Amino acid sequence: MAITRTDIVGTKIICEIESSNLVKTEYDSETSKLIATFKNGMIYEYEEVPHKTYAQFRLAESQGKFFNTDIARQYKYKKVEETE
């Protein structure tokens, strides 16, 4: 698992990820919102994710494992949409 591409657009950090579950994350350092796109097409928005946590996620040996243990179960989230 690895981050294959990172783009910074304004206050957003957009990462494409090669993972068994994640495809892409978009983190807004101004609002502390993290949008995660999964391989099954589901998109979720996580609120109040500290920048430090997102930095640890990006540096983790396994982004998928870190996401599941340190983000998905720790922060309030809502389903945004599904991709086709």
Side-chain angles (χ1 to χ4, degrees), residues 55-67:
Q56 290 171 327
F57 161 79
R58 291 179 64 212
L59 294 172
E61 188 175 318
S62 168
Q63 281 77 32
K65 184 176 180 183
F66 186 94
F67 185 87

Side-chain angles (χ1 to χ4, degrees), residues 24-47:
K24 182 172 98 173
T25 59
E26 183 177 309
Y27 180 77
D28 191 323
S29 60
E30 196 169 78
T31 64
S32 296
K33 289 187 179 180
L34 171 64
I35 297 172
T37 305
F38 295 89
K39 280 197 172 172
N40 65 4
M42 304 290 260
I43 301 173
Y44 288 89
E45 179 182 276
Y46 295 81
E47 298 179 12

Side-chain angles (χ1 to χ4, degrees), residues 64-75:
K65 184 176 180 183
F66 186 94
F67 185 87
N68 288 335
T69 59
D70 293 75
I71 296 174
R73 297 186 176 106
Q74 305 296 325
Y75 299 97

